[in-house]
Amino acid sequence: MNSNKMYTCVIVDDEFHARELLKNHLGVLPSLRLLAVFDNSIEALSYLMGKDVDLLFVDIQIPIMLGTDLVKSLVHPPKVIFTTAHKDYAFDGFELNAVDFLLKPISLDRFLKAVQKALSMDMLGQVSQPVEPNKDSPFVIIRADRMNHKIPLTSILYVECLKDYLKIYTDDKCLMTKMPLGSFLQLLPKKDFIRVHRSYLVSKKKIEAYNSYHINIGKEEIPVGPNYRELLFSELGSRIG
C-alpha cells in the first residue's frame, strides 16, 4: 500500500444519518477522498459508470435497485464495502466478493478495520503478473497501486508474504502486490536471494547478521523457519548461533 496515495470513495445510502456517519468516519482518514454521496441507486449507477472510483460504500437495501444489483451492473466495479441494518443480507454481499460487510450502526473502529482491509488489498484485487526478466536483467516489474513498478534487484531488502499478498521492502519504499511468494522467488536470481521462512525471502547481500532463529537487515529482524535453517547455513556459511 502506498501511504501517500489518495483513495477516492463514493457513498450510496438512502438514510440521512447513515450517510452523515460514514462521511464523519471518512473524515478521520486523510488518505480517503469522498467524491460523491447518493441516496438512490440510479443516480449512483450513472455516476459510477463514468468515474474511476477506488472504494464504494453502499447500503444493500436502497430504493429502486438493491445495492447488490447496483454492483452487479458495473462492468468494472470498485472495491465494495456493503452496509446494512439487516444481517441476513451478508451472504449476498460476500457472494459479490465484497471487501467487507458492515452492520449498522457502524462504529468507527469497525469502519477503520474494513477500510484497512481494502487498502491492504492494494485497491486492485487482481493477481500481479510480473514481467519475467532474462538471466541478466537487473530488475523485476510488479503491479501495485494501479501502476507497473520497475524494481532494481539490488534495492530489494526482503519480501514478506501476507496470505495472498506480498510486501516487497526496498531501500526506499514498500510495495504490496497480489502474488504467491514462490512465484516471486522464481523471478529472482538464486545466487542473490534465499527463502528463510514460509513467509519471508531475503536478499543475501543485505543480511548483516544471522543465527538459527533470525536474520538482521538494517533495523528489521526476519524470522528463520526451522525447515529453512540448513539451507541458510549451507548458502551463507557455518553456524554462529
Side-chain angles (χ1 to χ4, degrees):
M1 181 179 64
N2 183 350
S3 59
N4 296 320
K5 175 180 170 61
M6 183 70 71
Y7 296 94
T8 55
C9 307
V10 168
I11 295 172
V12 186
D13 198 306
D14 63 319
E15 299 176 10
F16 173 78
H17 293 295
R19 294 194 301 271
E20 291 301 303
L21 181 62
L22 282 175
K23 286 165 64 176
N24 289 337
H25 287 348
L26 280 166
V28 173
L29 297 174
S31 61
L32 300 184
R33 177 189 173 199
L34 182 59
L35 294 180
V37 180
F38 299 96
D39 61 6
N40 68 85
S41 54
I42 298 302
E43 290 182 6
L45 177 60
S46 177
Y47 181 87
L48 291 166
M49 290 177 66
K51 290 285 185 179
D52 185 14
V53 176
D54 292 315
L55 187 56
L56 173 63
F57 296 89
V58 56
D59 187 12
I60 291 181
Q61 194 173 27
I62 49 179
I64 306 176
M65 178 189 295
L66 292 178
T68 48
D69 292 331
L70 167 61
V71 174
K72 290 177 184 177
S73 300
L74 297 172
V75 178
H76 300 293
K79 288 295 180 187
V80 176
I81 295 178
F82 282 113
T83 66
T84 185
H86 304 281
K87 187 180 297 185
D88 294 339
Y89 283 117
F91 180 74
D92 294 333
F94 285 121
E95 271 197 324
L96 293 173
N97 296 317
V99 172
D100 211 338
F101 175 91
L102 299 179
L103 191 63
K104 298 177 181 180
I106 302 166
S107 68
L108 177 59
D109 178 67
R110 186 65 184 85
F111 171 85
L112 293 175
K113 287 180 180 179
V115 171
Q116 181 60 41
K117 183 178 179 182
L119 300 191
S120 296
M121 294 171 70
D122 208 28
M123 307 307 293
L124 183 63
Q126 299 178 356
V127 177
S128 177
Q129 299 296 331
V131 176
E132 185 168 358
N134 58 45
K135 294 180 180 179
D136 299 320
S137 177
F139 61 85
V140 292
I141 297 177
I142 61 104
R143 181 79 174 176
D145 295 329
R146 299 180 182 268
M147 297 288 289
N148 292 311
H149 293 261
K150 182 177 178 180
I151 306 176
L153 297 179
T154 55
S155 74
I156 298 175
L157 302 175
Y158 65 96
V159 180
E160 179 183 6
C161 179
L162 301 171
K163 294 186 178 180
D164 298 329
Y165 292 83
L166 300 182
K167 294 181 74 174
I168 303 170
Y169 294 86
T170 71
D171 290 327
D172 59 357
K173 60 188 172 184
C174 175
L175 295 171
M176 180 175 282
T177 189
K178 190 173 185 181
M179 189 199 313
L181 184 61
S183 298
F184 187 73
L185 181 59
Q186 292 177 7
L187 301 178
L188 306 174
K190 293 182 179 180
K191 65 182 180 66
D192 295 326
F193 294 87
I194 183 172
R195 190 166 184 173
V196 298
H197 188 278
R198 65 180 181 179
S199 299
Y200 290 91
L201 66 86
V202 303
S203 167
K204 295 178 186 178
K205 296 179 180 179
K206 302 293 185 177
I207 295 175
E208 298 176 8
Y210 65 99
N211 59 25
S212 298
Y213 305 100
H214 63 263
I215 290 169
N216 290 340
I217 297 180
K219 296 181 180 180
E220 299 300 322
E221 190 171 277
I222 313 300
V224 176
N227 296 331
Y228 297 87
R229 288 171 184 163
E230 291 301 324
L231 175 62
L232 174 66
F233 288 109
S234 67
E235 292 280 336
L236 299 183
S238 60
R239 295 179 181 275
I240 60 174

